[in-house]
Amino acid sequence: MRYKDLYLKSIEIIRKNQSNYGLYIASPNFNNYKYCWLRDSTFIAYSMDLCGNNSSSRKYYCGINDILKVRSKKVEQLIDTYNKSGFIDKKNILPARFSLEGKITGTDWPEFQIDGYGIFLWGLVKHLEITGELNLLETTFKDSIDIVVKYLTNFWNVPNYDCWEENGDRINTSTIVCVYGGLKSILGTKKDKIITDSCDKIKTFFHNFCVKNNHIIKYIGAELVDSSLLWCSVPFGIVDAEDYIMLNTVEKIESLLSKTGLKRYYMDEYYGGGEWPLLTAFLGWYYLTIGNIRGARKMLKLVLKSADKNYMLPEQTPFNLYFPEKYYFWKNKWGEIAKPLLWSHAMYVIIYCLLQRERNIKNDS
Ligand code: BGC
């Protein structure tokens, strides 16, 4: 199988699985993933931006914009209730996922996951930078941005579910880092006192509570790392990629969570705790950032290897499992591991494009 074949197939899979409303399904063949998650979808949109399919990502951002702008009142109410009583009224939160027509799903899924909204702001700014239309932040997208900024600046330090939809009673490091990255992206386009203050507070909080024994920790009170901590440097930049706490964190992620690909966290039970191609790609992205091109290429190859003969990438591969019996438990409960997972394909496209760009720069110089 060739690198380029998987690249082209990935774009095809992503485009085919975008709804008329602009939303990307997490996985078309897995019942519980027949929705659009903001987290997955924004990285998917970014992959479309990198490979020149900007109309696909524009459709996504317009779809989310329409969904969000009508929720302004609910967010105001949510903040008001919270400020008066400290109570988070779940019926007014911004959900983690939507139906493909942009509706609330009405299931009992843990919806209070604010990381996706930080990722959304980051992705939207990237999209408009790439298309050269940052002015739309103040027009077309203004209402939805204002709502999300209000939401994040009020709730960044309130416990909510992490990017793996777990630990809802914790303050999860990768979540606050996504919030930071999103707010900071907006700040890169305009001056705003509330956003500046929030970013400063988040950064101070991060250094005071999310770093222990010279490395970053999964959530406040934890000892261990999580692969999503890679996002602290790239793409969300709360620490420099070569800062010693980041280097120590990556070293821990590599030694604890990586064998032939990257796992989410130590003793993960979901489908036995296999290796996630999308995380392997994130490690490649990190390597690229610190100039380790060879490492990045190796990660690209590992992701390629996890595709099946039809060029489909799964959510995880059941290798080096912590709990083989849990693999069967989840398989009986929810079916085979989700495949194709659009987020996995998107991450392959991202790292493929970034490596390609690196090569062009080299050839040019
Ligand atoms: C993952 C989430 C993801 C969702 C949809 C969950 O199993 O933990 O990160 O957003 O699936 O792909």
Side-chain angles (χ1 to χ4, degrees):
M1 188 184 302
R2 289 193 343 218
Y3 289 103
K4 188 152 188 196
D5 293 334
L6 182 58
Y7 167 71
L8 294 175
K9 185 71 184 179
S10 295
I11 297 172
E12 185 190 316
I13 289 175
I14 290 172
R15 297 204 54 159
K16 198 171 122 199
N17 286 293
Q18 179 168 28
S19 75
N20 289 337
Y21 201 82
L23 307 192
Y24 302 107
I25 196 170
S27 175
N29 301 330
F30 192 81
N31 212 28
N32 283 299
Y33 288 0
K34 287 190 169 149
Y35 303 98
C36 164
W37 269 259
L38 227 63
R39 172 189 315 112
D40 303 37
S41 291
T42 304
F43 283 116
I44 296 166
Y46 183 55
S47 77
M48 292 294 95
D49 274 325
L50 286 188
C51 68
N53 281 278
N54 312 93
S55 56
S56 166
S57 44
R58 173 61 57 86
K59 205 169 161 193
Y60 164 69
Y61 288 115
C62 287
I64 298 294
N65 190 46
D66 288 346
I67 297 171
L68 293 182
K69 58 187 188 198
V70 295
R71 296 187 71 84
S72 169
K73 262 222 171 75
K74 280 179 178 283
V75 171
E76 298 285 355
Q77 275 170 17
L78 176 75
I79 294 171
D80 194 47
T81 310
Y82 180 70
N83 286 339
K84 283 187 188 136
S85 64
F87 172 66
I88 298 280
D89 189 352
K90 295 278 158 61
K91 73 175 187 312
N92 287 332
I93 59 163
L94 294 176
R97 53 181 206 158
F98 300 97
S99 78
L100 296 184
E101 296 76 39
K103 300 274 180 301
I104 304 300
T105 60
T107 58
D108 59 358
W109 205 264
E111 296 284 359
F112 193 34
Q113 310 175 15
I114 68 171
D115 64 319
Y117 287 89
I119 302 174
F120 168 75
L121 289 183
W122 166 83
L124 177 57
V125 172
K126 281 274 169 237
H127 169 67
L128 297 174
E129 267 170 18
I130 290 171
T131 62
E133 294 167 292
L134 280 174
N135 58 310
L136 298 188
L137 290 172
E138 287 300 323
T139 53
T140 314
F141 296 105
K142 186 176 183 333
D143 291 348
S144 62
I145 291 172
D146 287 351
I147 295 159
V148 174
V149 165
K150 219 173 250 174
Y151 191 66
L152 297 179
T153 50
N154 274 279
F155 297 119
W156 67 268
N157 57 358
V158 172
N160 66 94
Y161 286 87
D162 66 13
C163 60
W164 312 130
E165 315 196 284
E166 295 170 344
N167 301 307
D169 54 350
R170 307 270 186 194
I171 297 184
N172 294 287
T173 305
S174 68
T175 297
I176 68 162
V177 165
C178 293
V179 172
Y180 176 87
L183 293 175
K184 197 82 189 170
S185 297
I186 296 293
L187 219 46
T189 70
K190 65 168 184 186
K191 285 204 174 93
D192 183 297
K193 170 130 176 52
I194 295 177
I195 304 182
T196 306
D197 288 352
S198 294
C199 285
D200 291 348
K201 280 187 201 149
I202 297 174
K203 199 163 188 172
T204 307
F205 182 92
F206 170 84
H207 283 286
N208 286 342
F209 300 107
C210 305
V211 179
K212 200 170 171 186
N213 300 327
N214 294 323
H215 69 84
I216 309 166
I217 47 173
K218 181 176 165 75
Y219 52 74
I220 313 274
E223 297 289 330
L224 294 177
V225 294
D226 183 294
S227 289
S228 63
L229 296 178
L230 289 168
W231 304 346
C232 294
S233 61
V234 67
F236 301 125
I238 202 163
V239 283
D240 196 75
E242 294 189 271
D243 186 309
Y244 77 101
I245 60 165
M246 194 64 218
L247 293 173
N248 290 343
T249 306
V250 175
E251 203 181 297
K252 292 221 170 291
I253 291 173
E254 287 167 332
S255 62
L256 190 70
L257 302 174
S258 156
K259 236 184 190 166
T260 53
L262 213 56
K263 290 168 179 287
R264 299 194 297 182
Y265 55 86
Y266 183 58
M267 290 295 169
D268 182 3
E269 295 189 3
Y270 188 48
Y271 281 87
E275 298 173 343
W276 287 50
L278 71 93
L279 288 173
T280 307
F282 270 113
L283 185 58
W285 193 354
Y286 173 79
Y287 287 151
L288 204 52
T289 313
I290 59 165
N292 178 0
I293 312 293
R294 183 187 276 213
R297 278 214 200 99
K298 195 171 154 201
M299 296 305 115
L300 185 78
K301 190 170 188 176
L302 283 176
V303 180
L304 180 73
K305 275 187 158 170
S306 40
D308 70 12
K309 62 179 186 331
N310 298 317
Y311 299 90
M312 304 266 185
L313 287 172
E315 178 179 55
Q316 58 171 298
T317 46
F319 298 155
N320 304 311
L321 296 179
Y322 291 123
F323 302 101
E325 71 286 1
K326 290 278 178 190
Y327 169 73
Y328 295 103
F329 167 83
W330 282 102
K331 197 171 146 185
N332 288 336
K333 189 172 168 177
W334 280 4
E336 292 289 351
I337 290 169
K339 188 174 75 175
L341 188 90
L342 268 69
W343 188 9
S344 301
H345 284 279
M347 293 313 302
Y348 181 81
V349 171
I350 291 173
I351 178 92
Y352 181 95
C353 288
L354 294 176
L355 268 165
Q356 202 71 20
R357 196 173 284 179
E358 193 68 33
R359 200 209 238 152
N360 292 342
I361 293 171
K362 260 208 177 132
N363 288 348
D364 277 356
S365 55

